[in-house]
């Protein structure tokens, strides 16, 4: 007890008791109030479906008066046409067999004609002797759930539509790529000779490796007659890739062909090409240039030998495969990149090919192929020289086929276009390999 001269403790047991009493008072709802004001709908029906009892919550959802419902309407009268059909064919039979049913999605009608999606659960109440007396039903408002489901469905449809559009875009992109690749193949072929000409006393073979089907390469080659006894040839590589490189390739091929018909001297042909490329591109701020080997040869019917005169403009050296099993690079001193300067020095080199010898021209995609497990080592000149020695005394076609197999063996280490051209005197006797 508190002394007479002391004030009660604010935090004492009296306030605690008072708070507990107030809290208990809040919970003293009557069963009738809990039934009528529940956050869900309640109704009880006789076994024929006649509504015997219904709570205020459900009446408010329906917009109906109790007098208009109790004893006057059946549970199915609250349902939509589709709900009535489902009730008769599924709901009611299952309820009779099982005695209870829960979580059934239906729709109830409001007095205004609007619909409310609901989830319905029912249970049969039996008497003391086991006979069914009435059905108690709980109705949950599913409008929020329906909105949620509709939103999920909308999002699913949107996702499916997005996937469909993405798949269609992928198919269209693949079709566009296929058409582009077909066009590039046609354009690439237009920059190369369809076939090599028949040449008395000579054999020739060529191969072009395209590093990517999605872009035009800049490598080129050609062999063509310049008069009744001599044939000209060239092989080279334009800087860059794509349409601009293709334009330079086309200009280079036609310039060299025209220059050779005027004067087949290798130095003269490369000099003319240098002037044309420099004049065409130097002023544009985007200079274009190439490397090239140009030459001509003339077979000697009496000896079967072929004399070759050639010049190089910054191009990898020509390989000569001798019939005796050796291989060597043909020195081509001087020779700057073609088109990089207004004038450039070029020097003619000469060699004689005896029967069984083969001259191999190639672009730098071959020697710059990346090899080794980590693809960091370039194939290089020395490896090419050793490889070429193993192809000595073979026909140009056999040599080109061997180089083709070598290129394929590089796999993803070969990322540049590569052109190969092999020339040889026509065989009198040749190793059968």
């Amino acid at each position: 007890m508190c002394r007479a001269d002391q004030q009660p403790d604010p935090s004492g047991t009296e306030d605690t008791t008072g708070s507990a009493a107030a809290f208990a008072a809040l919970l003293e709802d009557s069963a009738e109030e809990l039934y009528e004001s529940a956050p869900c709908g309640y109704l009880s029906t006789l076994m024929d479906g006649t509504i015997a009892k219904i709570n205020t919550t459900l009446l408010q959802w329906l917009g109906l008066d109790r007098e208009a419902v109790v004893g006057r309407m059946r549970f199915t009268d609250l349902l939509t046409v589709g709900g009535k059909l489902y009730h008769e064919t599924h709901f009611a039979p299952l309820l009779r067999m099982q005695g209870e049913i829960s979580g059934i999605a239906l729709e109830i009608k409001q007095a205004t004609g609007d619909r409310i999606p609901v989830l319905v659960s029912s249970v049969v109440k039996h008497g003391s002797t086991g006979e069914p007396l009435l059905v108690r039903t709980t109705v949950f408002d599913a409008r929020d759930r329906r909105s949620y489901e509709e939103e999920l469905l909308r999002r699913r449809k949107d996702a499916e539509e997005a996937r469909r559009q993405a798949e269609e875009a992928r198919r269209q992109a693949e079709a566009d790529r296929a058409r582009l690749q077909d066009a590039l193949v046609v354009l690439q072929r237009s920059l190369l000779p369809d076939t090599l000409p028949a040449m008395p006393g000579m054999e020739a073979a060529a191969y072009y490796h395209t590093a990517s089907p999605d872009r035009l390469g800049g490598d080129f080659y050609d062999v063509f007659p310049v008069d009744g006894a001599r044939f000209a040839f060239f092989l080279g590589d334009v800087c860059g890739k794509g349409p601009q490189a293709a334009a330079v390739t086309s200009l280079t091929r036609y310039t060299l062909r025209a220059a050779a018909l005027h004067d087949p001297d290798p130095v003269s042909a490369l000099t003319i090409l240098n002037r044309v490329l420099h004049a065409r591109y130097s002023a544009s701020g985007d200079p274009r240039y190439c490397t090239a080997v140009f030459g001509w040869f003339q077979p000697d019917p009496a000896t079967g030998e072929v004399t070759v005169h050639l010049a190089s403009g910054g191009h990898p050296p020509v390989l000569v495969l001798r019939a005796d099993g050796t291989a060597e690079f043909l020195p081509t001193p001087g020779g700057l990149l073609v088109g990089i300067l207004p004038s450039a020095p070029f020097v003619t080199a000469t060699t004689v090919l005896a029967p069984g010898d083969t001259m191999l021209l190639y672009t730098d995609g071959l020697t710059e192929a990346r090899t080794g497990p980590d693809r960091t080592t370039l194939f290089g000149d020395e490896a090419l020289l050793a490889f070429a020695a193993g192809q000595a005394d073979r026909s140009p076609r056999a040599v080109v086929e061997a180089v083709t197999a070598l290129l394929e063996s590089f796999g993803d280490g070969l990322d540049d276009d590569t052109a190969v051209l092999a020339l040889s005197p026509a065989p009198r006797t040749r190793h059968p390999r």
Side-chain angles (χ1 to χ4, degrees):
M1 297 179 56
C2 295
R3 292 173 54 184
D5 59 346
Q6 290 180 333
Q7 296 294 326
D9 184 357
S11 59
T13 58
E14 291 184 6
D15 281 356
T16 302
T17 303
S19 298
F23 183 73
L26 292 175
L27 299 179
E28 288 181 358
D29 293 328
S30 67
E32 184 66 21
E33 184 179 1
L34 288 174
Y35 177 84
E36 293 293 339
S37 303
C40 60
Y42 288 119
L43 73 159
S44 299
T45 64
L46 303 179
M47 295 309 298
D48 65 357
T50 301
I51 298 174
K53 188 176 182 180
I54 185 170
N55 73 341
T56 302
T57 300
L58 185 54
L59 288 171
Q60 289 174 347
W61 290 354
L62 295 169
L64 297 173
D65 294 330
R66 194 180 304 273
E67 292 77 10
V69 175
V70 175
R72 296 176 178 273
M73 299 179 69
R74 297 188 177 189
F75 174 60
T76 53
D77 294 332
L78 307 181
L79 303 178
T80 61
V81 174
K84 290 179 180 180
L85 180 62
Y86 183 85
H87 186 276
E88 295 299 327
T89 58
H90 292 78
F91 191 99
L94 285 173
L95 183 60
R96 285 194 297 269
M97 287 189 297
Q98 300 175 176
E100 61 179 331
I101 190 170
S102 62
I104 303 301
L106 296 172
E107 286 185 328
I108 58 175
K109 299 181 299 182
Q110 294 181 298
T112 59
D114 293 332
R115 300 177 177 186
I116 299 178
V118 294
L119 291 177
V120 177
S121 297
S122 296
V123 61
V124 177
K125 180 182 179 182
H126 295 84
S128 59
T129 60
E131 73 279 11
L133 299 179
L134 54 85
V135 177
R136 289 174 175 169
T137 299
T138 305
V139 182
F140 294 93
D141 188 344
R143 280 175 289 191
D144 289 342
R145 174 173 172 168
R146 175 69 61 84
S147 299
Y148 174 73
E149 290 174 345
E150 289 175 350
E151 177 64 16
L152 285 181
L153 181 60
R154 183 189 66 79
R155 292 185 180 185
R156 185 179 295 113
K157 289 182 178 179
D158 289 346
E160 291 174 354
E161 177 63 17
R163 283 194 296 269
R164 187 195 67 78
Q165 293 179 357
E167 180 63 20
E168 179 62 26
R170 183 189 64 79
R171 287 195 295 266
Q172 185 61 46
E174 289 178 349
D176 292 343
R177 183 186 181 194
R179 285 192 292 268
L180 175 61
Q181 289 177 348
D182 291 342
L184 291 177
V185 168
V186 173
L187 182 54
Q188 189 76 68
R189 288 176 179 172
S190 71
L191 301 175
L192 300 170
D194 292 332
T195 58
L196 298 180
M199 298 172 286
M202 288 292 295
E203 282 187 326
Y207 172 71
Y208 191 94
H209 169 82
T210 301
S212 171
D214 298 319
R215 67 181 186 185
L216 286 169
D219 294 10
F220 58 90
Y221 65 86
D222 205 351
V223 180
F224 54 95
V226 292
D227 54 35
R230 293 180 296 178
F231 284 80
F233 64 88
F234 58 78
L235 179 142
D237 184 4
V238 168
C239 71
K241 306 293 179 186
Q244 291 180 326
V248 179
T249 298
S250 178
L251 177 60
T252 297
R253 290 185 70 246
Y254 290 117
T255 299
L256 288 176
R257 270 184 163 265
L261 294 177
H262 174 70
D263 182 358
D265 176 65
V267 170
S268 175
L270 290 181
T271 298
I272 291 173
L273 176 62
N274 185 81
R275 291 173 182 169
V276 169
L277 292 182
H278 189 269
R280 171 66 178 82
Y281 292 102
S282 62
S284 66
D286 183 22
R288 294 283 165 170
Y289 53 87
C290 70
T291 67
V293 174
F294 180 93
W296 62 268
F297 55 84
Q298 182 172 2
D300 185 344
T303 63
E305 295 180 341
V306 176
T307 300
V308 181
H309 301 269
L310 58 84
S312 173
H315 199 78
V318 171
L319 261 173
V320 179
L321 289 59
R322 299 298 182 184
D324 62 6
T326 62
E328 61 184 358
F329 290 113
L330 181 63
T332 48
L336 296 175
L337 295 173
V338 183
I340 197 71
L341 296 175
S343 61
F346 302 107
V347 179
T348 300
T350 302
T351 191
V352 176
L353 301 178
D357 294 345
T358 298
M359 184 172 66
L360 180 65
L361 295 82
Y362 55 92
T363 54
D364 59 8
L366 175 56
T367 53
E368 293 181 0
R370 294 174 286 107
T371 63
D374 54 358
R375 299 297 189 191
T376 58
T377 303
L378 298 183
F379 184 61
D381 293 339
E382 294 303 319
L384 177 59
L385 188 63
F387 172 83
Q391 311 305 317
D393 198 25
R394 301 186 70 184
S395 68
R397 175 175 294 182
V399 172
V400 168
E401 289 175 351
V403 174
T404 301
L406 175 64
L407 292 171
E408 292 175 350
S409 72
F410 294 141
D412 59 5
L414 184 61
D415 51 14
D416 194 8
D417 298 329
T418 304
V420 179
L421 175 63
L423 301 165
S424 176
R428 293 185 176 182
T429 59
R430 185 183 291 278
H431 196 282
R433 290 183 298 167

